[in-house]
Amino acid sequence: MPSLENILRHENLPKEHRRIAEKVLHQERLTLEEGLYLYEHGELAFVGALANYIRECKHGNNTYFNRNFHIEPTNLCVYDCKFCSYSRLIKQRNDPDAWAYSLEEILDIVRRYDNQPVTEVHIVGGVLPQYDLAFYEELFRRIKAHRPELHIKALTPVEYHYIFKKAKISYEEGLRRMKEAGLDSLPGGGAEIFHPEIREQIAADKCTAEQWLQIHEIWHRMGGRSNATMLYGHIEKFWHRIDHMERLRQLQDRTGGFQTFIPLKFRNQNNQMSHIPESSAVEDLRNYAIARIYLDNFDHIKAYWPMIGRTLAQMSLAFGVDDIDGTIDDTTKIYSMAGAEEQHPALTTQQLVDLIRRVGRRPIERDTLYRVIRDYSDVVFEEDTAWRGYLELPVVNA
Ligand code: V47
Ligand code: SF4
């Protein structure tokens, strides 16, 4: 990939390309119009070079991952998002693909990891009326009583808005009670596309963009950290993506509470939007790159490898991405049902480390708050169990 300096030396570089490249070089913020220009006219090599420059200024070769596991308590849901492949409406509770775990069953999943060095549990699923405020308070308390150091990253404004409204309490009061029960941070889900023109078509009824942003803002003001996502590659236009990122950038200016931005590629299997073709790998990489360039106040850009596959995740590390989530170990079906690349997503630490090293980056295990747990640059694994399906480049010393 050409370096930013080489790009600027190019005599035939279009004027607007040059202006944007110079702004990036001088760490100046892009306007809405410039962001849109990149989506409309930025070739992969150009936006990739800009994004990689920013990524390396911020993190060098460091590529972060964590050791976590996901629990989806239920796939029954009161909502009916058109892109959702895994949820079943509550009236379909007898569907063989439907599940709703009891509190004890969820705790059993947590206990399965007792002897494993995981640092985070990521809990998110459908919105089910019986999973109310008391249910989640009890769940978080019991998890903390069992394993106090395990970081609980759980639920999104979609659930919180529903639960707090039903309990007739304010967002502030609800989040305070969740925190007291053991909630540590919020994952980035439920954001989809903020603009009502799209949101009303694909995710009608659930929390609005304003409510999503308000809940994150209150959480940040309480000292909490959270992530943000964007579900792209369906019926939205480029300007909806920029509008989405602009709202996040403005909130981040006010609070600084977001840790990472996670673009989620729309997968089209088994949902009401299956007729829409999926975005190409080139478009996915361009999207990571433009997100890296536009969101100048976000520290991290994450590629969620189960959704896009390991090879594209490796490639994304040259297009602005510095985090590839974690070992995950997903016991349920939320992503495989949407047609994700990985049917049962799980990678061993060695496989993740190997995947990062093979594209010349430095694997760093982090906790949820991005504190370094271990630098794996020089770690030699005793047994070679690395998975050999992804990019096989000579190992470059990071
Ligand atoms: O909000 C649902 C998305 C999200 C599909 O914070 C789909 O660390 C693609 O937010 N195609 C939930 N995407 C997942 C999520 C997440 C994942 C990993 C890490 C983190 C984090 C957060 O999944 C939903 C929705 O946008 N989703 N259906 C689909 N067919
Ligand atoms: Fe329910 Fe979430 Fe699926 Fe929407 S995306 S139907 S809120 S589980």
Side-chain angles (χ1 to χ4, degrees):
M1 172 134 21
S3 73
L4 190 51
E5 285 80 3
N6 279 343
I7 284 198
L8 281 166
R9 258 182 239 128
H10 215 284
E11 281 171 17
N12 296 329
L13 192 66
K15 217 167 88 204
E16 189 60 8
H17 277 48
R18 179 176 303 281
R19 230 173 46 73
I20 291 178
E22 274 166 359
K23 274 185 109 170
V24 168
L25 191 63
H26 298 111
Q27 295 181 20
E28 287 169 34
R29 173 170 281 192
L30 261 50
T31 62
L32 274 171
E33 292 71 29
E34 289 161 344
L36 192 57
Y37 176 87
L38 287 183
Y39 270 124
E40 283 171 351
H41 305 287
E43 306 80 358
L44 179 62
F46 178 70
V47 295
L50 265 52
N52 195 49
Y53 174 81
I54 299 169
R55 183 238 204 263
E56 292 186 357
C57 287
K58 282 184 185 284
H59 306 290
N61 278 325
N62 286 3
T63 299
Y64 301 94
F65 69 95
N66 71 348
R67 293 206 254 190
N68 62 356
F69 61 104
H70 283 210
I71 302 178
E72 280 110 37
T74 183
N75 69 340
L76 291 170
C77 190
V78 297
Y79 298 118
D80 186 23
C81 302
K82 302 286 173 269
F83 54 81
C84 185
S85 311
Y86 100 122
S87 73
R88 296 290 176 270
L89 289 169
I90 293 187
K91 60 178 187 256
Q92 299 171 302
R93 63 174 72 245
N94 295 325
D95 184 310
D97 281 334
W99 74 87
Y101 298 137
S102 66
L103 197 93
E104 276 311 319
E105 285 172 323
I106 300 174
L107 289 166
D108 277 344
I109 300 178
V110 174
R111 289 186 204 109
R112 264 188 240 155
Y113 292 86
D114 275 359
N115 298 315
Q116 296 190 36
V118 288
T119 59
E120 172 191 289
V121 56
H122 177 147
I123 305 173
V124 72
V127 179
L128 189 59
Q130 58 263 44
Y131 291 172
D132 57 8
L133 188 70
F135 178 91
Y136 281 115
E137 282 185 309
E138 168 92 4
L139 177 65
F140 296 165
R141 284 218 164 85
R142 299 268 305 268
I143 294 175
K144 284 291 179 186
H146 179 70
R147 196 165 172 177
E149 78 291 353
L150 189 66
H151 184 107
I152 301 179
K153 184 175 85 181
L155 314 189
T156 72
V158 178
E159 286 102 333
Y160 288 127
H161 169 75
Y162 181 89
I163 293 168
F164 300 159
K165 198 169 152 215
K166 197 158 164 260
K168 298 193 173 53
I169 55 175
S170 65
Y171 292 159
E172 284 84 355
E173 167 73 358
L175 288 171
R176 192 186 53 71
R177 283 177 62 170
M178 289 287 139
K179 190 173 178 179
E180 268 169 26
L183 177 70
D184 291 303
S185 65
L186 306 191
E192 323 314 356
I193 287 286
F194 288 142
H195 199 283
E197 210 170 276
I198 302 300
R199 196 172 187 83
E200 280 161 16
Q201 291 185 62
I202 65 170
D205 304 329
K206 74 182 188 185
C207 74
T208 62
E210 289 70 27
Q211 290 161 341
W212 191 100
L213 291 161
Q214 197 188 351
I215 288 176
H216 279 262
E217 179 153 8
I218 293 167
W219 180 249
H220 294 169
R221 294 201 189 283
M222 288 165 59
R225 291 283 172 271
S226 67
N227 296 337
T229 57
M230 173 174 77
L231 178 70
Y232 72 93
H234 41 88
I235 58 168
E236 89 289 0
K237 302 271 185 285
F238 287 146
W239 71 266
H240 294 116
R241 297 191 204 175
I242 285 291
D243 170 79
H244 188 94
M245 291 194 280
E246 176 61 23
R247 295 182 200 223
L248 291 171
R249 196 167 76 170
Q250 287 182 13
L251 173 51
Q252 181 73 334
D253 275 345
R254 294 199 295 279
T255 65
F258 286 120
Q259 306 201 99
T260 183
F261 178 67
I262 312 157
L264 294 170
K265 173 194 176 84
F266 165 66
R267 305 305 309 244
N268 68 3
Q269 278 180 36
N270 303 315
N271 56 45
Q272 297 169 64
M273 290 161 71
S274 292
H275 56 287
I276 298 172
E278 292 180 357
S279 54
S280 67
V282 168
E283 192 48 36
D284 296 332
L285 294 173
R286 260 174 29 94
N287 190 63
Y288 283 120
I290 295 169
R292 178 60 290 170
I293 301 165
Y294 198 76
L295 293 173
D296 58 343
N297 54 2
F298 274 63
D299 283 343
H300 303 282
I301 304 289
K302 187 196 280 193
Y304 187 56
W305 63 263
M307 236 24 188
I308 56 170
R310 305 167 201 207
T311 307
L312 194 55
Q314 280 181 306
M315 287 160 72
S316 74
L317 300 182
F319 291 85
V321 168
D322 64 279
D323 186 304
I324 50 170
D325 208 275
T327 42
I328 295 175
D329 204 358
D330 202 331
T331 53
T332 54
K333 303 179 186 168
I334 184 167
Y335 307 110
S336 57
M337 287 164 90
E341 293 303 314
E342 309 280 338
Q343 289 303 299
H344 177 87
L347 278 178
T348 63
T349 304
Q350 178 175 1
Q351 287 169 334
L352 255 183
V353 164
D354 193 56
L355 185 148
I356 295 166
R357 278 185 185 158
R358 287 202 172 262
V359 286
R361 300 296 191 185
R362 176 189 282 261
I364 310 277
E365 184 187 348
R366 60 162 176 90
D367 67 8
T368 313
L369 303 175
Y370 286 85
R371 291 174 298 213
V372 172
I373 294 179
R374 188 169 183 189
D375 181 341
Y376 277 80
S377 310
D378 302 318
V379 173
V380 179
F381 291 92
E382 276 176 20
E383 216 187 319
D384 184 9
T385 60
W387 185 79
R388 302 269 177 238
Y390 38 80
L391 283 181
E392 279 284 347
L393 301 177
V395 178
V396 187
N397 277 337

